[in-house]
Amino acid sequence: NFVLDIALETETADESISIRLDMYRSGVNAFLESPVIGYGYENRYNSAARLGSLRMDQHAHLHNAILNHLVAGGIFGLIVYLLLYLPFWRTIKNFQFFTTEFDFALTQFYASFFMIGLTTSTNGHFAMNAFFAITLVLLLCSKENSAQRAKEV
C-alpha cells in the first residue's frame, strides 16, 4: 500500500518522499524550460519551486545532485558535474577494479558520493564540497606516497 500511495500521491504517503517527488517533478519541468544553459546556480530552486508546490523557506536545493546541475546549468551544467567523476569512469572502463588499494578506495569514494547525490545535494553544501575535496586530496596523496615507497624498496 505504501508504494501505491506514493505512486498515486495520496495523503497517506510519507511526507518526505512526497516532497522529494514534487522536487524531482518540478526540477525536470524547470530543466525542460531551459535545457541548454539552465537558470544559474542561485536561481535553480526558485525556477523549480514556481512549477510545483515547493516552499522556498524550507529547502535550498532539489535533493538530487543531477537535477540541481541540470536546472542550474542545463546540459552544460550536467557535463561539468559529470567531469568530476571522470577518474571513476576511467577506472571502470579499464576494468582496474581493486588492482590496488588506491583503485578500491577511489572507486568506493566516487560510487558512494554519486549514490548519495541521488537523494540529496552533494555539491550544494559547503561541508559536502569540503569533504569531497579533502578526501580526494588525501586519496591522491596516499597514491603518491605509495608510489614513492614502492620505488624505495
Side-chain angles (χ1 to χ4, degrees), residues 29-35 37-44 47-48 50-51 70-74:
N29 289 333
F31 164 69
L32 292 174
E33 282 189 352
S34 184
I37 60 171
Y39 292 94
Y41 183 77
E42 292 298 320
N43 297 318
R44 73 191 187 282
S47 60
R50 68 180 172 73
L51 298 171
L70 280 171
V71 174

PDB file of all heavy atoms in Angstrom, residues 29-35 37-44 47-48 50-51 70-74:
ATOM      1  N   ASN A  29      10.673  19.682 -14.879  1.00  0.00           N
ATOM      2  CA  ASN A  29       9.933  20.689 -15.648  1.00  0.00           C
ATOM      3  C   ASN A  29      10.745  21.968 -15.842  1.00  0.00           C
ATOM      4  O   ASN A  29      10.726  22.569 -16.922  1.00  0.00           O
ATOM      5  CB  ASN A  29       8.592  21.002 -14.984  1.00  0.00           C
ATOM      6  CG  ASN A  29       7.614  19.856 -15.113  1.00  0.00           C
ATOM      7  OD1 ASN A  29       7.681  19.062 -16.048  1.00  0.00           O
ATOM      8  ND2 ASN A  29       6.707  19.743 -14.164  1.00  0.00           N
ATOM      9  N   ALA A  30      11.479  22.376 -14.804  1.00  0.00           N
ATOM     10  CA  ALA A  30      12.323  23.570 -14.926  1.00  0.00           C
ATOM     11  C   ALA A  30      13.444  23.322 -15.932  1.00  0.00           C
ATOM     12  O   ALA A  30      13.752  24.193 -16.753  1.00  0.00           O
ATOM     13  CB  ALA A  30      12.904  23.945 -13.567  1.00  0.00           C
ATOM     14  N   PHE A  31      14.045  22.140 -15.879  1.00  0.00           N
ATOM     15  CA  PHE A  31      15.091  21.809 -16.857  1.00  0.00           C
ATOM     16  C   PHE A  31      14.541  21.845 -18.276  1.00  0.00           C
ATOM     17  O   PHE A  31      15.175  22.377 -19.184  1.00  0.00           O
ATOM     18  CB  PHE A  31      15.690  20.433 -16.557  1.00  0.00           C
ATOM     19  CG  PHE A  31      16.465  19.861 -17.699  1.00  0.00           C
ATOM     20  CD1 PHE A  31      17.668  20.430 -18.095  1.00  0.00           C
ATOM     21  CD2 PHE A  31      15.985  18.775 -18.410  1.00  0.00           C
ATOM     22  CE1 PHE A  31      18.377  19.911 -19.166  1.00  0.00           C
ATOM     23  CE2 PHE A  31      16.684  18.254 -19.477  1.00  0.00           C
ATOM     24  CZ  PHE A  31      17.887  18.829 -19.857  1.00  0.00           C
ATOM     25  N   LEU A  32      13.353  21.301 -18.477  1.00  0.00           N
ATOM     26  CA  LEU A  32      12.773  21.265 -19.818  1.00  0.00           C
ATOM     27  C   LEU A  32      12.474  22.664 -20.357  1.00  0.00           C
ATOM     28  O   LEU A  32      12.463  22.870 -21.565  1.00  0.00           O
ATOM     29  CB  LEU A  32      11.505  20.405 -19.823  1.00  0.00           C
ATOM     30  CG  LEU A  32      11.727  18.909 -19.593  1.00  0.00           C
ATOM     31  CD1 LEU A  32      10.402  18.176 -19.478  1.00  0.00           C
ATOM     32  CD2 LEU A  32      12.603  18.309 -20.681  1.00  0.00           C
ATOM     33  N   GLU A  33      12.259  23.632 -19.465  1.00  0.00           N
ATOM     34  CA  GLU A  33      12.026  25.014 -19.905  1.00  0.00           C
ATOM     35  C   GLU A  33      13.311  25.698 -20.375  1.00  0.00           C
ATOM     36  O   GLU A  33      13.266  26.602 -21.189  1.00  0.00           O
ATOM     37  CB  GLU A  33      11.409  25.836 -18.773  1.00  0.00           C
ATOM     38  CG  GLU A  33       9.936  25.580 -18.573  1.00  0.00           C
ATOM     39  CD  GLU A  33       9.332  26.579 -17.602  1.00  0.00           C
ATOM     40  OE1 GLU A  33      10.069  27.367 -16.963  1.00  0.00           O
ATOM     41  OE2 GLU A  33       8.098  26.568 -17.479  1.00  0.00           O
ATOM     42  N   SER A  34      14.455  25.297 -19.809  1.00  0.00           N
ATOM     43  CA  SER A  34      15.738  25.897 -20.192  1.00  0.00           C
ATOM     44  C   SER A  34      16.815  24.816 -20.201  1.00  0.00           C
ATOM     45  O   SER A  34      17.696  24.791 -19.342  1.00  0.00           O
ATOM     46  CB  SER A  34      16.106  27.016 -19.219  1.00  0.00           C
ATOM     47  OG  SER A  34      17.292  27.656 -19.625  1.00  0.00           O
ATOM     48  N   PRO A  35      16.762  23.924 -21.196  1.00  0.00           N
ATOM     49  CA  PRO A  35      17.637  22.746 -21.167  1.00  0.00           C
ATOM     50  C   PRO A  35      19.100  22.995 -21.535  1.00  0.00           C
ATOM     51  O   PRO A  35      19.948  22.189 -21.181  1.00  0.00           O
ATOM     52  CB  PRO A  35      16.988  21.810 -22.189  1.00  0.00           C
ATOM     53  CG  PRO A  35      16.284  22.719 -23.138  1.00  0.00           C
ATOM     54  CD  PRO A  35      15.830  23.891 -22.318  1.00  0.00           C
ATOM     55  N   ILE A  37      21.194  26.096 -21.062  1.00  0.00           N
ATOM     56  CA  ILE A  37      22.032  26.840 -20.114  1.00  0.00           C
ATOM     57  C   ILE A  37      21.445  26.925 -18.716  1.00  0.00           C
ATOM     58  O   ILE A  37      22.091  27.417 -17.809  1.00  0.00           O
ATOM     59  CB  ILE A  37      22.336  28.260 -20.630  1.00  0.00           C
ATOM     60  CG1 ILE A  37      21.041  29.045 -20.839  1.00  0.00           C
ATOM     61  CG2 ILE A  37      23.173  28.201 -21.892  1.00  0.00           C
ATOM     62  CD1 ILE A  37      21.259  30.509 -21.124  1.00  0.00           C
ATOM     63  N   GLY A  38      20.237  26.458 -18.508  1.00  0.00           N
ATOM     64  CA  GLY A  38      19.637  26.476 -17.177  1.00  0.00           C
ATOM     65  C   GLY A  38      19.301  27.866 -16.679  1.00  0.00           C
ATOM     66  O   GLY A  38      19.208  28.819 -17.454  1.00  0.00           O
ATOM     67  N   TYR A  39      19.161  27.974 -15.369  1.00  0.00           N
ATOM     68  CA  TYR A  39      18.737  29.232 -14.738  1.00  0.00           C
ATOM     69  C   TYR A  39      19.821  29.871 -13.886  1.00  0.00           C
ATOM     70  O   TYR A  39      19.607  30.925 -13.306  1.00  0.00           O
ATOM     71  CB  TYR A  39      17.524  28.970 -13.837  1.00  0.00           C
ATOM     72  CG  TYR A  39      16.291  28.603 -14.613  1.00  0.00           C
ATOM     73  CD1 TYR A  39      15.960  27.271 -14.835  1.00  0.00           C
ATOM     74  CD2 TYR A  39      15.455  29.580 -15.117  1.00  0.00           C
ATOM     75  CE1 TYR A  39      14.820  26.923 -15.539  1.00  0.00           C
ATOM     76  CE2 TYR A  39      14.319  29.245 -15.829  1.00  0.00           C
ATOM     77  CZ  TYR A  39      14.010  27.922 -16.034  1.00  0.00           C
ATOM     78  OH  TYR A  39      12.891  27.587 -16.738  1.00  0.00           O
ATOM     79  N   GLY A  40      20.956  29.239 -13.743  1.00  0.00           N
ATOM     80  CA  GLY A  40      22.005  29.750 -12.868  1.00  0.00           C
ATOM     81  C   GLY A  40      21.910  29.119 -11.493  1.00  0.00           C
ATOM     82  O   GLY A  40      20.845  28.701 -11.050  1.00  0.00           O
ATOM     83  N   TYR A  41      23.047  29.056 -10.831  1.00  0.00           N
ATOM     84  CA  TYR A  41      23.135  28.372  -9.538  1.00  0.00           C
ATOM     85  C   TYR A  41      22.196  28.981  -8.504  1.00  0.00           C
ATOM     86  O   TYR A  41      21.495  28.266  -7.796  1.00  0.00           O
ATOM     87  CB  TYR A  41      24.583  28.397  -9.041  1.00  0.00           C
ATOM     88  CG  TYR A  41      24.774  27.642  -7.753  1.00  0.00           C
ATOM     89  CD1 TYR A  41      24.814  26.253  -7.756  1.00  0.00           C
ATOM     90  CD2 TYR A  41      24.896  28.311  -6.547  1.00  0.00           C
ATOM     91  CE1 TYR A  41      24.972  25.548  -6.583  1.00  0.00           C
ATOM     92  CE2 TYR A  41      25.057  27.615  -5.366  1.00  0.00           C
ATOM     93  CZ  TYR A  41      25.090  26.236  -5.388  1.00  0.00           C
ATOM     94  OH  TYR A  41      25.240  25.547  -4.216  1.00  0.00           O
ATOM     95  N   GLU A  42      22.170  30.305  -8.407  1.00  0.00           N
ATOM     96  CA  GLU A  42      21.346  30.960  -7.394  1.00  0.00           C
ATOM     97  C   GLU A  42      19.842  30.856  -7.676  1.00  0.00           C
ATOM     98  O   GLU A  42      19.032  31.023  -6.782  1.00  0.00           O
ATOM     99  CB  GLU A  42      21.740  32.432  -7.254  1.00  0.00           C
ATOM    100  CG  GLU A  42      23.113  32.632  -6.671  1.00  0.00           C
ATOM    101  CD  GLU A  42      23.253  32.093  -5.254  1.00  0.00           C
ATOM    102  OE1 GLU A  42      22.305  32.249  -4.457  1.00  0.00           O
ATOM    103  OE2 GLU A  42      24.308  31.507  -4.946  1.00  0.00           O
ATOM    104  N   ASN A  43      19.467  30.595  -8.914  1.00  0.00           N
ATOM    105  CA  ASN A  43      18.051  30.549  -9.284  1.00  0.00           C
ATOM    106  C   ASN A  43      17.516  29.137  -9.486  1.00  0.00           C
ATOM    107  O   ASN A  43      16.375  28.958  -9.865  1.00  0.00           O
ATOM    108  CB  ASN A  43      17.831  31.336 -10.575  1.00  0.00           C
ATOM    109  CG  ASN A  43      18.169  32.788 -10.395  1.00  0.00           C
ATOM    110  OD1 ASN A  43      17.843  33.388  -9.383  1.00  0.00           O
ATOM    111  ND2 ASN A  43      18.852  33.351 -11.366  1.00  0.00           N
ATOM    112  N   ARG A  44      18.329  28.133  -9.239  1.00  0.00           N
ATOM    113  CA  ARG A  44      17.901  26.760  -9.550  1.00  0.00           C
ATOM    114  C   ARG A  44      16.669  26.341  -8.761  1.00  0.00           C
ATOM    115  O   ARG A  44      15.777  25.719  -9.312  1.00  0.00           O
ATOM    116  CB  ARG A  44      19.054  25.778  -9.338  1.00  0.00           C
ATOM    117  CG  ARG A  44      19.392  25.515  -7.893  1.00  0.00           C
ATOM    118  CD  ARG A  44      20.711  24.763  -7.758  1.00  0.00           C
ATOM    119  NE  ARG A  44      20.967  24.368  -6.394  1.00  0.00           N
ATOM    120  CZ  ARG A  44      21.407  25.173  -5.452  1.00  0.00           C
ATOM    121  NH1 ARG A  44      21.635  26.435  -5.728  1.00  0.00           N
ATOM    122  NH2 ARG A  44      21.623  24.729  -4.228  1.00  0.00           N
ATOM    123  N   SER A  47      13.403  28.562  -9.734  1.00  0.00           N
ATOM    124  CA  SER A  47      12.827  28.203 -11.033  1.00  0.00           C
ATOM    125  C   SER A  47      12.033  26.909 -10.940  1.00  0.00           C
ATOM    126  O   SER A  47      11.003  26.762 -11.606  1.00  0.00           O
ATOM    127  CB  SER A  47      13.915  28.093 -12.096  1.00  0.00           C
ATOM    128  OG  SER A  47      14.852  27.112 -11.742  1.00  0.00           O
ATOM    129  N   ALA A  48      12.455  25.982 -10.116  1.00  0.00           N
ATOM    130  CA  ALA A  48      11.708  24.739  -9.938  1.00  0.00           C
ATOM    131  C   ALA A  48      10.517  24.949  -9.002  1.00  0.00           C
ATOM    132  O   ALA A  48       9.438  24.391  -9.224  1.00  0.00           O
ATOM    133  CB  ALA A  48      12.618  23.648  -9.382  1.00  0.00           C
ATOM    134  N   ARG A  50       8.540  27.438  -8.579  1.00  0.00           N
ATOM    135  CA  ARG A  50       7.369  28.062  -9.192  1.00  0.00           C
ATOM    136  C   ARG A  50       6.568  27.073 -10.032  1.00  0.00           C
ATOM    137  O   ARG A  50       5.427  27.330 -10.384  1.00  0.00           O
ATOM    138  CB  ARG A  50       7.776  29.276 -10.022  1.00  0.00           C
ATOM    139  CG  ARG A  50       8.574  28.968 -11.244  1.00  0.00           C
ATOM    140  CD  ARG A  50       8.939  30.226 -12.023  1.00  0.00           C
ATOM    141  NE  ARG A  50       9.845  29.918 -13.081  1.00  0.00           N
ATOM    142  CZ  ARG A  50       9.524  29.289 -14.203  1.00  0.00           C
ATOM    143  NH1 ARG A  50       8.291  28.925 -14.418  1.00  0.00           N
ATOM    144  NH2 ARG A  50      10.431  29.038 -15.117  1.00  0.00           N
ATOM    145  N   LEU A  51       7.141  25.912 -10.333  1.00  0.00           N
ATOM    146  CA  LEU A  51       6.457  24.903 -11.144  1.00  0.00           C
ATOM    147  C   LEU A  51       5.829  23.795 -10.304  1.00  0.00           C
ATOM    148  O   LEU A  51       5.267  22.854 -10.833  1.00  0.00           O
ATOM    149  CB  LEU A  51       7.438  24.284 -12.146  1.00  0.00           C
ATOM    150  CG  LEU A  51       8.022  25.268 -13.153  1.00  0.00           C
ATOM    151  CD1 LEU A  51       9.132  24.616 -13.944  1.00  0.00           C
ATOM    152  CD2 LEU A  51       6.935  25.792 -14.068  1.00  0.00           C
ATOM    153  N   LEU A  70      21.320  20.140 -13.645  1.00  0.00           N
ATOM    154  CA  LEU A  70      20.528  20.336 -14.868  1.00  0.00           C
ATOM    155  C   LEU A  70      19.746  21.647 -14.821  1.00  0.00           C
ATOM    156  O   LEU A  70      19.706  22.382 -15.800  1.00  0.00           O
ATOM    157  CB  LEU A  70      19.559  19.162 -15.068  1.00  0.00           C
ATOM    158  CG  LEU A  70      20.148  17.897 -15.676  1.00  0.00           C
ATOM    159  CD1 LEU A  70      19.130  16.771 -15.607  1.00  0.00           C
ATOM    160  CD2 LEU A  70      20.594  18.136 -17.104  1.00  0.00           C
ATOM    161  N   VAL A  71      19.119  21.924 -13.687  1.00  0.00           N
ATOM    162  CA  VAL A  71      18.327  23.155 -13.567  1.00  0.00           C
ATOM    163  C   VAL A  71      19.244  24.376 -13.501  1.00  0.00           C
ATOM    164  O   VAL A  71      18.959  25.400 -14.116  1.00  0.00           O
ATOM    165  CB  VAL A  71      17.379  23.097 -12.344  1.00  0.00           C
ATOM    166  CG1 VAL A  71      16.672  24.420 -12.128  1.00  0.00           C
ATOM    167  CG2 VAL A  71      16.361  21.973 -12.517  1.00  0.00           C
ATOM    168  N   ALA A  72      20.357  24.269 -12.790  1.00  0.00           N
ATOM    169  CA  ALA A  72      21.261  25.414 -12.650  1.00  0.00           C
ATOM    170  C   ALA A  72      22.009  25.723 -13.940  1.00  0.00           C
ATOM    171  O   ALA A  72      22.138  26.888 -14.314  1.00  0.00           O
ATOM    172  CB  ALA A  72      22.265  25.155 -11.531  1.00  0.00           C
ATOM    173  N   GLY A  73      22.495  24.683 -14.635  1.00  0.00           N
ATOM    174  CA  GLY A  73      23.346  24.938 -15.793  1.00  0.00           C
ATOM    175  C   GLY A  73      22.942  24.243 -17.069  1.00  0.00           C
ATOM    176  O   GLY A  73      23.706  24.248 -18.033  1.00  0.00           O
ATOM    177  N   GLY A  74      21.768  23.633 -17.085  1.00  0.00           N
ATOM    178  CA  GLY A  74      21.320  22.930 -18.279  1.00  0.00           C
ATOM    179  C   GLY A  74      22.242  21.761 -18.601  1.00  0.00           C
ATOM    180  O   GLY A  74      22.899  21.203 -17.727  1.00  0.00           O
TER     181      GLY A  74
END
